[in-house]
Amino acid sequence: DLVYTHSTAVVDGKASWIDSMRSGRVRYRRVAPSERRVRLYGDTALVTGRAAVDVEVGGEAKQLKLAYLVAWIRTPQGWKFAAWQATPIPA
């Protein structure tokens, strides 16, 4: 049930997101999170923050500065990554 919304507004599900990394189409070189804040609401954790990301997409190197929101859901099997939403931070 993963919904992964990139800073470009492209949306991936779990299978397509994992495939993008396994295939080498997307290679995360460095992720430096900052200003991380976690808020718990019952069995849901919302994580907000900023990140500097060095990524290679289709062979093209990109340096991104993002604000993000991540949703995690507590299940009987443990915490599950449910959603990601990223927004570019203007220079």
Side-chain angles (χ1 to χ4, degrees), residues 40 49 56 72:
L40 292 173
E56 191 176 299
W72 291 84

Side-chain angles (χ1 to χ4, degrees), residues 19-85:
D19 180 62
S20 72
M21 290 179 286
R22 280 191 179 147
S23 69
R25 190 171 58 254
V26 175
R27 295 179 190 268
Y28 290 94
R29 301 295 187 191
R30 182 182 73 94
V31 177
S34 64
E35 301 179 38
R36 191 173 5 206
R37 181 174 174 205
V38 179
R39 282 174 254 143
L40 292 173
Y41 301 97
D43 289 334
T44 302
L46 298 180
V47 183
T48 56
R50 293 177 178 245
V53 180
D54 293 340
V55 63
E56 191 176 299
V57 180
E60 180 183 345
K62 298 182 180 210
Q63 294 181 327
L64 308 173
K65 292 186 187 212
L66 307 172
Y68 65 85
L69 167 66
V70 182
W72 291 84
I73 308 297
R74 185 180 4 225
T75 72
Q77 296 77 33
W79 287 95
K80 302 291 182 177
F81 179 29
W84 167 271
Q85 170 73 54

